[in-house]
Amino acid sequence: MKKILVVGGNGQLGNCIRKIAPDFELDYEFVFTDSQILDITDEDQVNSFFYDNKPEFCINASAFTAVDLAEKEKEKAFAVNAQGVAYLAHACKEYNTVFIHVSTDYVFDGETNLCYSEDDFTNPIGVYGESKLKGEELALEANPKTIILRTSWLYSEFNKNFVKTMLHLFSQKEELGIVADQFGQPTNANDLAEAIMNIIETPQKSYGIFHFSNYPETTWFEFAQKIAELSKSSVKLNALSTEQYPTPAKRPKRSTMCLDKIEEVYKIEPKHWENSLEECLDILHNNL
């Protein structure tokens, strides 16, 4: 039985993989870790863990994702998002493990009206994006059997995310201001989990960088509007400009990613974001 190591097993994506793991238990044994079990910034610990477990696949679903905090804690962001990724990639190379690493649309500066392909020029505008890009580079350098999945605006029924934050705020406030001039693709982490398992199940692997998200592009304001509509909230939403809502870290204005490559190579068809949002809200409603 093949072993799948899921690093960051208690995060959004890790929990979504954990949810579907029983569907694959005839063929795979899953090992879920968190930072208490496996500190990826400790090279000796990573090497020891791989020696003991020898996984066929390693999914890195862990990251320092606090975009604004990364501006203050640059060293920590790079330790987790870059150096830790390098340690995992080197261990994967040592044990002939396929490394599936999750990255971000924030590797782009967002200064385009087109969607970004996997080969487009990267130019992160904040520490979070810089650290994630460095992680990509180190992973590809260390292990030729690396698959990088860039995703965006991740949410699910698990942990803290934009959808759950909005639902909470809708219940507390009558009026909210939401940024309306930043474009991207909301992505249900459950869809990403399924895409990753689809890749693992594909016999002939293609390595390198792939983009995966739901589609098409939207703004945070339109995303919030749809959450309000589907959750039958009466909250009043006001459109704000980025200038009206300053944050410590700059955000890309339009970080929309092209999804053709993953569809062509792995036959993975991304879902419309509104449909995936509805599925998530149904789960959250049923969990009340």
Side-chain angles (χ1 to χ4, degrees), residues 40-260:
I40 65 169
T41 66
D42 183 331
E43 187 175 17
D44 291 339
Q45 202 179 120
V46 170
N47 291 336
S48 174
F49 198 92
F50 269 74
Y51 176 81
D52 290 341
N53 288 275
K54 299 177 179 63
E56 274 80 11
F57 300 93
C58 172
I59 302 166
N60 183 26
S62 70
F64 185 103
T65 57
V67 177
D68 290 324
L69 191 59
E71 296 296 314
K72 281 185 184 176
E73 300 187 5
K74 184 173 182 177
E75 200 172 298
K76 188 174 179 183
F78 270 84
V80 176
N81 294 344
Q83 196 55 63
V85 175
Y87 293 152
L88 287 172
H90 279 287
C92 285
K93 174 73 162 45
E94 178 77 19
Y95 291 95
N96 197 30
T97 303
V98 174
F99 186 37
I100 300 173
H101 173 60
V102 179
S103 192
T104 174
D105 57 325
Y106 277 45
V107 298
F108 299 112
D109 61 20
E111 297 296 323
T112 181
N113 289 323
L114 306 170
C115 67
Y116 287 102
S117 77
E118 288 79 355
D119 300 323
D120 278 337
F121 181 68
T122 51
N123 184 34
I125 55 175
V127 170
Y128 170 66
E130 287 170 11
S131 65
K132 291 295 286 183
L133 179 60
K134 189 64 179 175
E136 288 185 10
E137 292 166 354
L138 292 171
L140 292 167
E141 196 179 289
N143 183 16
K145 285 188 166 184
T146 291
I147 297 167
I148 288 168
L149 292 173
R150 290 180 183 146
T151 192
S152 58
W153 297 19
L154 216 58
Y155 69 90
S156 67
E157 68 269 32
F158 300 108
N159 303 52
K160 189 181 174 187
N161 56 67
F162 184 80
V163 173
K164 290 176 75 175
T165 298
M166 286 299 105
L167 291 173
H168 175 69
L169 290 174
F170 293 170
S171 69
Q172 303 288 315
K173 298 183 180 294
E174 293 178 0
E175 201 168 335
L176 279 176
I178 308 289
V179 173
D181 58 358
Q182 293 172 18
F183 293 80
Q185 294 139 302
T187 307
N188 188 327
N190 289 285
D191 295 338
L192 179 57
E194 287 177 16
I196 288 170
M197 290 310 301
N198 191 315
I199 288 168
I200 286 174
E201 295 250 273
T202 302
Q204 290 297 110
K205 301 280 186 294
S206 179
Y207 301 102
I209 299 171
F210 294 85
H211 290 168
F212 178 84
S213 69
N214 294 136
Y215 78 93
E217 71 170 18
T218 189
T219 64
W220 290 112
F221 178 70
E222 289 167 345
F223 189 23
Q225 278 186 314
K226 185 53 70 171
I227 297 167
E229 178 193 319
L230 292 172
S231 63
K232 297 180 170 57
S233 170
S234 59
V235 69
K236 185 188 178 198
L237 297 176
N238 301 313
L240 301 180
S241 67
T242 297
E243 288 69 31
Q244 288 173 295
Y245 191 80
T247 53
K250 281 186 177 179
R251 266 68 170 171
K253 277 291 181 81
R254 176 177 258 112
S255 54
T256 309
M257 299 183 297
C258 305
L259 307 173
D260 302 348

